[in-house]
Amino acid sequence: MSAPTPQSGTPRACVIGAGFGGMALAIRLQSAGIATTVVEARDKPGGRAYFWQMDGFTFDAGPTVVTDPACLKELWDLTGHDMAQDVELMPVMPFYRLNWPDGTNFDYSNDDPALRREIAKLDPADVAGYDAFLAYSAGVFEEGYVKLGHVPFLDFKSMLKAAPALAKHQAWRSVYSIVSKYVKNEKLREALSFHTLLVGGNPMKTSSIYALIHKLEKDGGVWWTRGGTNRLIAGMVRHFERLGGVMRLGDAVERIEVLGNKVTGVTTKSGWSEKFDAVASNGDIMHSYRDLLGTSHRGKTYAKSLARKSYSPSLFVVHFGIEGTWPGIPHHMILFGPRYKGLLDDIYTHGVLPADFSIYLHHPTVTDPGMAPEGKSTFYALVPVAHLGKLNVDWSVVGPQLEKRILDEVGRRLIPDIHDRIVTSFHYTPRDFSHDLSAHLGSAFSLEPVLTQSAWFRGHNRDDVMKNFYLVGAGTHPGAGIPGVVGSAKATAGLMVEDLLG
Ligand SMILES: Cc1cc2nc3c(=O)[nH]c(=O)nc-3n(C[C@H](O)[C@H](O)[C@H](O)COP(=O)(O)OP(=O)(O)OC[C@H]3O[C@@H](n4cnc5c(N)ncnc54)[C@H](O)[C@@H]3O)c2cc1C
């Protein structure tokens, strides 16, 4: 089965931005018979999931952990297509290896007996506590993800409806606090709470609803796309174009045209101007209102309110390609530093660049050797850093120093002669997030995922005033991460299809 062919009178929509959220929305609209054009500022689609090829190495810029593949498969199922035709997903096991400075390793996966053995190694008394945590996680997964992960919160009433479930699960508590209720070992507390960092949240402050990530990974697994996450984006683009959708790359939208309380079209930097019945922005939420709608009253007033919100931190990422292969280093590792809470305080509250760090190490070639030339390996090492509004340093000076410190630490813990092995390396700083993605304050994950900025309190999928302007992506409900933004696309598409096709 294929999508309906656009005819005269077919509604036309523009999606600004080809991130995961933008592409998922575009596919849904095009599948429903809305003639959709995606306008992307950069030369390649993907947004945070951009990529570079250098010296035979492929470096994915952003997401590496694919969870809930079913939410992606749905985008093909809509028109009776098969995702496997465009994308090859490979399981990753263990999901992560967590490592601490004292040499302790903890392999985290959904292999129940193996996971229980790992927990018992840390503290046998915590196995029962883990079972209770798992039951809690399953409860919040059902309420927060299955029931509410893809519905738009357009009014306060919808928030009130969710209130009993939030109260039942003590959503005002943090993930770390809930985990600590169930397990006593500090390393295990870190192992069961660090996940919020993958969506920009401080485990000490992020609502315990986000403990759902544990169940999400347990049920859906952790996956890798052959060729890199960029291939998943490429598959989405291929599918969208197959359905008749139009991609316009390398041309930033400069202005969303407004007449009264309606948007009428977009104008790009190159001067291209087109009328649309509806416009959805996948760009940064602040950029969308302050810059693209800046001439309208609504743009100005909402940008002011967005300026008062808190934004998740940025990231510093070192990409490196090295000589040799490393079968003993799993695909995903967290190299915890000596501090957990203190380090999080430095990043989220004090806005300083600490002397220590925790590293997420990405090693795709152990799953997919094609990501590097034969006999060589691709890695990235990522550390969260405060965003540009808190940390005022010259990244052109600090960047090379931090790159060296991070490589030294990876060397100390895993690859002793790392510096001699490097074939190519470069780094990505908060300035790059700001410059390349128009990310407010260089934030890597948009608005911080705290309870007071979630659901109705987050960006709405349809603007409250301009009823044919929509948002999709990390700044909207439910928030950052691939399943999050793909869920937001489902919520936004539901509204647009209803509004445009009745
Ligand atoms: C380093 C890193 C690692 C991550 N790891 C994971 C992970 O392992 N798993 C996971 O699930 N999530 C991960 N995340 C989070 C996840 O990648 C993001 O939350 C998600 O990809 C954001 O998607 P989005 O739809 O909000 O769009 P974005 O990726 O933010 O894309 C928005 C797009 O809009 C475009 N745009 C902006 N302004 C304009 C304009 N004026 N005109 C035209 N185009 C414009 C931008 O160029 C960009 O392409 C990671 C994020 C980062 C940064």
Side-chain angles (χ1 to χ4, degrees), residues 125-158:
D126 274 340
V127 176
Y130 167 72
D131 285 335
F133 170 71
L134 179 58
Y136 175 87
S137 173
V140 283
F141 174 72
E142 188 58 30
E143 290 295 341
Y145 190 76
V146 178
K147 290 191 190 156
L148 300 176
H150 49 82
V151 298
F153 281 81
L154 295 181
D155 52 30
F156 194 63
K157 255 192 341 221
S158 52

Side-chain angles (χ1 to χ4, degrees), residues 48 283-287 290 311 314 388 430-446:
R48 261 83 176 161
D284 178 88
I285 187 166
M286 175 64 107
H287 170 61
R290 183 195 55 204
Y311 288 80
S314 192
L388 298 170
R431 282 258 159 251
D432 298 313
F433 280 99
S434 166
H435 177 266
D436 294 347
L437 292 153
S438 303
H440 184 52
L441 305 175
S443 163
F445 306 93
S446 190

Side-chain angles (χ1 to χ4, degrees), residues 105-107 112-128 130 183 185 188:
N105 279 325
F106 180 91
D107 280 1
D112 246 5
L115 184 62
R116 271 155 222 279
R117 275 197 303 277
E118 291 290 286
I119 295 171
K121 270 199 300 190
L122 291 180
D123 187 345
D126 274 340
V127 176
Y130 167 72
V183 299
N185 181 277
L188 189 56

Side-chain angles (χ1 to χ4, degrees), residues 249-409:
L249 295 176
D251 196 9
V253 170
E254 200 164 48
R255 202 167 58 243
I256 299 172
E257 305 296 346
V258 177
L259 187 63
N261 277 338
K262 286 196 94 176
V263 299
T264 56
V266 302
T267 300
T268 65
K269 278 225 161 89
S270 74
W272 181 78
S273 195
E274 191 83 6
K275 292 206 176 311
F276 291 98
D277 300 302
V279 175
S281 181
N282 179 221
D284 178 88
I285 187 166
M286 175 64 107
H287 170 61
S288 301
Y289 281 93
R290 183 195 55 204
D291 306 333
L292 305 186
L293 286 166
T295 53
S296 70
H297 178 67
R298 173 63 180 159
K300 285 193 188 100
T301 50
Y302 194 53
K304 264 193 202 149
S305 116
L306 286 171
R308 290 192 290 272
K309 297 197 182 271
S310 69
Y311 288 80
S312 58
S314 192
L315 299 171
F316 181 86
V317 191
V318 185
H319 297 269
F320 54 103
I322 61 172
E323 292 288 353
T325 54
W326 304 89
I329 301 180
H331 193 140
H332 304 293
M333 276 193 86
I334 308 284
L335 304 174
F336 285 108
R339 300 181 303 151
Y340 192 53
K341 181 171 185 310
L343 181 63
L344 293 167
D345 284 344
D346 280 352
I347 296 162
Y348 281 83
T349 312
H350 307 138
V352 294
L353 196 59
D356 55 338
F357 34 66
S358 284
I359 300 171
Y360 159 59
L361 186 70
H362 169 55
H363 177 206
T365 31
V366 76
T367 308
D368 187 359
M371 296 289 287
E374 207 178 332
K376 298 185 172 54
S377 300
T378 298
F379 284 91
Y380 87 42
L382 169 162
V383 299
V385 291
H387 64 55
L388 298 170
K390 287 186 198 282
L391 179 60
N392 184 14
V393 295
D394 181 349
W395 279 105
S396 66
V397 175
V398 171
Q401 296 164 352
L402 189 54
E403 173 175 327
K404 179 171 180 314
R405 282 174 51 210
I406 291 171
L407 291 175
D408 287 349
E409 183 67 7

Side-chain angles (χ1 to χ4, degrees), residues 7 13 17 22 43 55 63 67 80 106 109 127 175-176 190 198 255 275 282 296 326 407 458:
Q7 291 165 356
D43 61 334
D55 302 320
T67 51
F106 180 91
S109 72
V127 176
V175 170
Y176 184 82
E190 294 175 15
L198 304 177
R255 202 167 58 243
K275 292 206 176 311
N282 179 221
S296 70
W326 304 89
L407 291 175
R458 217 169 171 80

Side-chain angles (χ1 to χ4, degrees), residues 6 14 49-50 75 85 88 96 120-121 123 151 181 188 191 217 222 309 324 333 368 388 401 417 460 476 492 497:
C14 174
Y50 193 81
L75 301 171
Q85 211 190 323
E88 184 188 347
Y96 312 90
K121 270 199 300 190
D123 187 345
V151 298
K181 179 175 145 186
L188 189 56
E217 289 184 345
V222 164
K309 297 197 182 271
M333 276 193 86
D368 187 359
L388 298 170
Q401 296 164 352
D417 52 354
H460 293 175
T476 65
T492 304
V497 169

